[in-house]
Each structure stands twice: as C-alpha cells, then as structure tokens.
Amino acid sequence: MYELLKNLGAWLTSGAQWAGSDGIAHRLAEHLQYSLLATLVATAIGLPLGLLIGHTGKGAFLAINLASFGRALPTVGLVVLVFLAGGLSMLPVYVALVALAVPAIVTNTYAGMTAVDPDVRDAARGQGMRGHQVLFQVELPLALPLIMTGLRLALIQVVATATIAAYVSFGGLGRYVFDGLAQRDLVQVLGGAVLVAAVAVALDLALSALQRFLFRHRTA
Amino acid sequence: MTIDWSWISGHTDDLTTLTLSHLQAALTAVLLGLIISLPLAVLAHRVRPLRGLLLGLSNVLFTIPSIAVFVLLLPVSGLTRTTTVIGLTIYTLVVLLRNTVEGLDSVPARTKEAAKAMGTRPLRTLLTVELPLALPVIMAGVRIATVMSISLVSVATYIGDGGLGQLFTDGFQRNFPTPVIVGVVLTLLLAVVADAALVALQYALTPWKRRRA
C-alpha cells in the first residue's frame, strides 16, 4: 500500500508526466473542455425547462419523468449505441454527458421553484407584478440555492463520467484509467482517478464559493 | 441500425436472468446506502462542524469515476458481486446524505420548538416529527439514488458483472447493435418501474400531503 502511494506520488509529480500531448496538463485541459461544454449545453436545456415548468405548473409530471428517464440512461450503453450508429466522433460522448446532466438540473430547478412559498408568489401577484416579473424577481432568486445544488451535482457527475471519452478512444483524464487498465498499471489507473476527483472537487468548491458570494446579503 | 428480433426471442432466459441480477445489485446498494446515510445525516444535521466534513467526503467519493472505483476495489473483493454493490453504495451515499440533511434542514424551527414545548423527547421528535416532514426530500433522494444505481450497474461490466451492462460489452465487441439496444431499453424500463413504485410508496407514506391538495 505504502509502495503504491509512493509510486502514485512520483507519477503525479514527475515533470515528464505533465508535459506533451499525453501529459497530464493536456489531458486535464481536454477533460475540462468536455465537462464544461457538456454542462453548459445541459444548463441551456435544463434551466429554462425547469423554470418554465415550475412557473406554469404545467407539464410537471412529464418533465419529472423525462428527467428520471434521462438519469436512468446507462451512459456506457448510450455511448456504445451512438458510436455503433454514427461512427468515431466526440458526438456520442457529448450526447451521453448532456443526457446525464440535464435531469439533475431540471429536477432541482423545478424543486426549487415548487419550494417557493405560495404566499410570497400571491403577494407578488397581488402587488400587480406580471408573470415574468414574478418569475425573474421573486421565484428565481428564491429558487436559486436549489438550482445551484442541481448545477453542482450535474457538474460533478459530468466530470466523473467524462472519463468515458477515453473508452471510445478520445482524450481526457480517462485515458490514464483505460490505458492503465489495459496495461495492468494500477498506479496509472489510480493517478487518473485521483486527478478526476481533484478536478471535480475543485470545480464544486468554486461553484460553492460563487454561491456564497451570490447569497452574501442573505441571512438564513 | 436494425434490430435482430430473432436474437431477442432466442435469448429471453438470459435476458430475464440479467435483468433480475441487475435489479438485485441496484436495490441492495440503495438499501445499504440508506442504512449508512440516515445516521450520518442526523449527525451532520445536529453537529455543524461534521456537516461540511461528511458532505465534502461524500462529494469526493462521488467524483471518483465509477470504473476506477470498481477497479480499485478488485484487490479487496475481487471479481464479485460484492465489488459491484460496494461501488454502487458509495455512489448512492452522496445523493442520500445530501438530500437527507437538506430534508432535515427544511423542517421549520417552529415545528421543532412546538414538539419540544409539548415535552417530546429528542429521539421521538426525530422519528415522529422531523423524519416524516423531511420525507419528501429524502424520498426524492431515494428515487434519484435508485434510478442512478440502476443506470450505473452496467459500468460493472468491465469487471465481469454489470447485469444488463454485459449486453453493451457484447454488442461493442461484436459490432452488433441489438444487444446494446435491448440492454438500454431494459435498463430504462427497470428504472421507470422502480421509480413508479417509489412514488407510490411516498404517496402512501405522506397522507397529510394529500389533504392539502
């Protein structure tokens, strides 16, 4: 165990390991690119959908079931399927990552919207606010903490799952996991896993700091 | 991409076995996850300093790619169902723990004070006031964890388990889409049925929610 950790430390800190096209720096950049792009696309789809459903109260049943349908999609199966159908491209990976992230965003946005006190909503309407004013000035700010929870959850999941890009021969930190598996090189597998975890934790902390900054005027 | 229906009709027994084994792995993991996360969530809710630590720790566990978790568990539990279940349980923890803590947080302080003023002891307050009121949020977590586990079981195909996930490896290696499609469809069906069952359970467990509507 000690030996393994020592080798892992050496692997992570060796300058040669960080340089070049198969270096950690390059793989890290690829991994970030896959994850951030997928999460952005998923947010662009999931956030308006969740807000719309929460605001109108229509289509809740459909959306929540669609969301859990998306969450149930086995990522490996989806990637293999799109791969067999469409051939070698990054598309299968992005499709799978977006499909993974949208449900968490929709359900949490919707949950945040339903958690808004109906009295507050009524009061806003009673003051003569229009639908979009209620949505953007009352409901959205109140729902924001749960929305952020959804975004963080989605991002963590996407970062961890972006590993799969390497399964269909692309880059990212998953390269080390799958190459290590093929070469029976446990240090490399472990190194890849540690890096993915570190990226996810760092991004989660960043979002959490952003959340605290956004709500600095609010008392609990 | 066409579906070879004769392959499906010729493999119904295999498909049934794989589906049942898939479901068993997922449900075992969620149950274990609940047993572990409930006391931890109560602890995280009551003891503030532990809260960040426990939630942070479960977040870290969650970020390790599932394939790496299964591989790293190999020296401990080998190519067995145990490895699959431990791996899945780790993943259910973050959702269950976070939702249970948030559910407990969402119980109004006034309600808890009322229980205290009526002379209800802390444990009884937890069991008869806090947990029932937190139930919708907790059940939301259980539903997410269940559906997620059902989808994640397939990753264990890399270590020779994986229930329906074995169909993905099979299809990928033979460049034969039918098993992959069948695997995806059966996984989705399994998730939908399990989720519907949990919705029904929540409905049965929260009668007070019905009266208001």
Side-chain angles (χ1 to χ4, degrees), chain A residues 18-138:
Chain A
W18 280 82
S21 67
D22 192 37
I24 294 174
H26 181 64
R27 295 296 180 213
L28 192 68
E30 285 176 331
H31 204 93
L32 281 175
Q33 186 200 326
Y34 304 156
S35 312
L36 293 178
L37 186 59
T39 308
L40 241 118
V41 172
T43 308
I45 299 170
L47 188 61
L49 204 61
L51 286 179
L52 192 72
I53 294 161
H55 181 65
T56 59
K58 285 185 190 124
F61 184 79
L62 178 82
I64 299 312
N65 283 288
L66 259 181
S68 92
F69 181 84
R71 195 181 297 117
L73 269 181
T75 320
V76 186
L78 193 62
V79 169
V80 169
L81 199 62
V82 184
F83 182 79
L84 289 182
L88 190 68
S89 80
M90 265 306 283
L91 189 68
V93 180
Y94 279 121
V95 168
L97 291 181
V98 171
L100 184 79
V102 166
I105 297 174
V106 173
T107 37
N108 275 284
T109 306
Y110 173 71
M113 293 288 282
T114 51
V116 174
D117 190 342
D119 290 345
V120 175
R121 202 176 286 142
D122 285 346
R125 284 202 187 282
Q127 286 187 326
M129 283 176 120
R130 291 175 183 277
H132 63 92
Q133 288 173 319
V134 176
L135 173 62
F136 290 110
Q137 294 173 25
V138 178

Side-chain angles (χ1 to χ4, degrees), chain B residues 23-197:
Chain B
L23 188 65
Q24 192 228 344
L27 292 186
T28 314
V30 174
L31 267 176
L32 280 176
L34 262 179
I35 293 172
I36 298 171
S37 64
L38 262 179
L40 287 180
V42 172
L43 206 64
H45 175 67
R46 299 266 160 108
V47 189
R48 284 280 141 175
L50 277 178
R51 182 197 171 93
L53 184 76
L54 283 172
L55 287 181
L57 196 69
S58 70
N59 269 348
V60 174
L61 287 176
F62 193 66
T63 56
I64 307 171
S66 41
I67 171 70
V69 170
F70 290 132
V71 172
L72 293 174
L73 283 171
L74 287 183
V76 184
S77 41
L79 290 166
T80 60
R81 180 35 68 91
T82 313
T83 307
T84 312
V85 172
I86 296 177
L88 290 173
T89 305
I90 290 175
Y91 283 95
T92 63
L93 279 183
V94 68
V95 182
L96 293 174
L97 193 60
R98 189 180 287 213
N99 272 55
T100 310
V101 172
E102 270 169 19
L104 290 173
D105 286 349
S106 74
V107 177
R110 263 182 284 174
T111 313
K112 280 185 278 187
E113 280 158 21
K116 199 175 176 184
M118 285 169 64
T120 319
R121 293 187 173 279
L123 183 67
R124 201 180 150 87
T125 307
L126 176 72
L127 294 178
T128 61
V129 178
E130 292 178 81
L131 281 179
L133 285 176
L135 202 66
V137 187
I138 298 176
M139 281 303 284
V142 172
R143 286 174 63 191
I144 295 174
T146 305
V147 172
M148 203 178 67
S149 296
I150 288 175
S151 144
L152 263 182
V153 174
S154 27
V155 177
T157 177
Y158 299 117
I159 55 156
D161 189 5
L164 294 164
Q166 289 171 40
L167 298 170
F168 305 148
T169 325
D170 182 38
F172 188 53
Q173 281 165 355
R174 292 194 286 149
N175 198 12
F176 177 41
T178 303
V180 186
I181 297 170
V182 172
V184 170
V185 170
L186 284 178
T187 310
L188 288 177
L189 274 179
L190 212 52
V192 169
V193 171
D195 196 48

